[in-house]
Amino acid sequence: MLVEQITAQLINAGNPDIAQHSQRFFKTAKGEYGEGDKFIGIRIPVLRQTLKLYQNATLKEALVLLKHEYHEIRLFAVLLLVQLFEQSKKDEAKQSEIVKAYLANTHYINSWDIVDSSAHKILGKFYFNRNKSILHQLALSSHLWERRMAMMSTYTFIKNHQFDDALILAEILLHDKHDLIHKIVGWMLREVGNKNKQVAERFLQKHYQNMPRTMLRYAIEKFTKVERTAYLKGQM
């Protein structure tokens, strides 16, 4: 019953003009990364406001919503999973259940915004003080979104000055063919630099000449103009 209520509320909040724009923005044409995805036309602030109305929603309901054909309902579902994870701070068994459910349903966590709204808040937080081998496995996946999920998860580690896994995964993904991986790796390297520039520069000195251009540009975005120019010209 609650699933139907949430679904109806979100569909009623849709905007055809926003939906049309999202179809283009999220590259849904044939051969693009979001091929065939469908949109209602809801901005994320509306989703977050709606989420506040459903503090008592369950994991089972979140997983039903996660399998919906509409992009924004899947996005709502991962926001709900994050909410459930945060509500379970003192219940390790419950958090473990949410993590297992998340990893079992990566097929539906299938766009950069859905990944980026959830991976670091669920996987990153759960594995912060645990064995992180699962993230290394995800980084080697043939599934684009699992690779992005792995890298995005390290954002939590980076914010807590734990850089090793982020750099290991960045090295694994260094020669990935997809620009959405180039962007997330570059972004996380930039975040490493924000916390400890020397650590980021040691990685860049070793790899910058072989990095995809987009990855490098993202990584050095906060450097001085002189430094950015030197990196881009291969003069570091």
Side-chain angles (χ1 to χ4, degrees):
M1 185 68 178
L2 191 60
V3 167
E4 287 80 3
Q5 182 181 333
I6 293 170
T7 302
Q9 184 171 347
L10 291 175
I11 290 174
N12 288 337
N15 181 309
D17 292 333
I18 295 174
Q20 189 174 32
H21 174 267
S22 295
Q23 294 284 150
R24 298 190 299 271
F25 184 74
F26 286 95
K27 309 293 184 184
T28 61
K30 186 174 177 59
E32 296 182 315
Y33 69 77
E35 180 179 347
D37 205 355
K38 298 179 181 180
F39 290 80
I40 310 167
I42 309 177
R43 303 293 192 200
I44 196 163
V46 176
L47 292 177
R48 293 193 183 279
Q49 285 297 320
T50 306
L51 185 66
K52 293 177 182 179
L53 304 176
Y54 296 100
Q55 296 293 314
N56 296 321
T58 67
L59 175 57
K60 182 178 180 180
E61 288 158 343
L63 294 178
V64 173
L65 292 167
L66 186 59
K67 297 173 183 177
H68 202 279
E69 63 176 330
Y70 282 121
H71 183 107
E72 294 95 336
I73 295 179
R74 298 196 308 280
L75 177 54
F76 181 89
V78 297
L79 295 175
L80 179 52
L81 288 173
V82 170
Q83 177 174 280
L84 289 166
F85 188 85
E86 291 174 349
Q87 288 173 346
S88 305
K89 285 181 180 177
K90 297 181 180 180
D91 189 339
E92 185 174 333
K94 183 64 175 178
Q95 287 196 330
S96 180
E97 184 183 7
I98 293 166
V99 168
K100 288 178 181 177
Y102 189 92
L103 290 171
N105 288 278
T106 56
H107 179 72
Y108 302 101
I109 304 169
N110 57 353
S111 187
W112 59 264
D113 60 326
I114 301 177
V115 170
D116 295 0
S117 296
S118 59
H120 61 301
K121 295 181 179 181
I122 296 177
L123 301 183
K125 288 186 177 180
F126 187 77
Y127 289 109
F128 178 63
N129 287 318
R130 291 180 172 88
N131 184 295
K132 300 172 178 60
S133 58
I134 184 63
L135 301 183
H136 296 233
Q137 293 174 34
L138 291 174
L140 295 169
S141 172
S142 60
H143 183 30
L144 165 65
W145 304 118
E146 289 186 347
R147 300 198 304 278
R148 187 170 176 110
M149 203 176 286
M151 198 70 222
M152 187 67 213
S153 296
T154 68
Y155 193 21
T156 295
F157 312 156
I158 294 166
K159 287 192 287 187
N160 287 278
H161 298 270
Q162 187 186 101
F163 309 124
D164 289 352
D165 288 280
L167 298 178
I168 291 168
L169 295 189
E171 196 161 17
I172 289 172
L173 295 168
L174 198 66
H175 301 296
D176 198 281
K177 295 180 180 180
H178 206 291
D179 72 322
L180 287 172
I181 301 301
H182 303 169
K183 290 175 181 178
I184 189 66
V185 172
W187 174 16
M188 291 303 108
L189 290 173
R190 184 183 72 210
E191 295 302 326
V192 171
N194 287 341
K195 294 294 184 182
N196 190 320
K197 190 174 180 181
Q198 288 183 328
V199 170
E201 286 190 302
R202 282 199 296 270
F203 184 91
L204 290 170
Q205 285 292 318
K206 183 178 179 181
H207 296 294
Y208 84 96
Q209 290 181 319
N210 297 313
M211 291 171 70
R213 204 67 165 175
T214 297
M215 187 185 296
L216 178 59
R217 286 186 182 278
Y218 270 60
I220 63 175
E221 186 178 7
K222 297 294 181 69
F223 287 13
T224 67
K225 184 176 180 180
V226 171
E227 289 171 327
R228 293 198 306 272
T229 300
Y231 271 109
L232 291 170
K233 289 185 175 180
Q235 297 172 347
M236 291 301 290

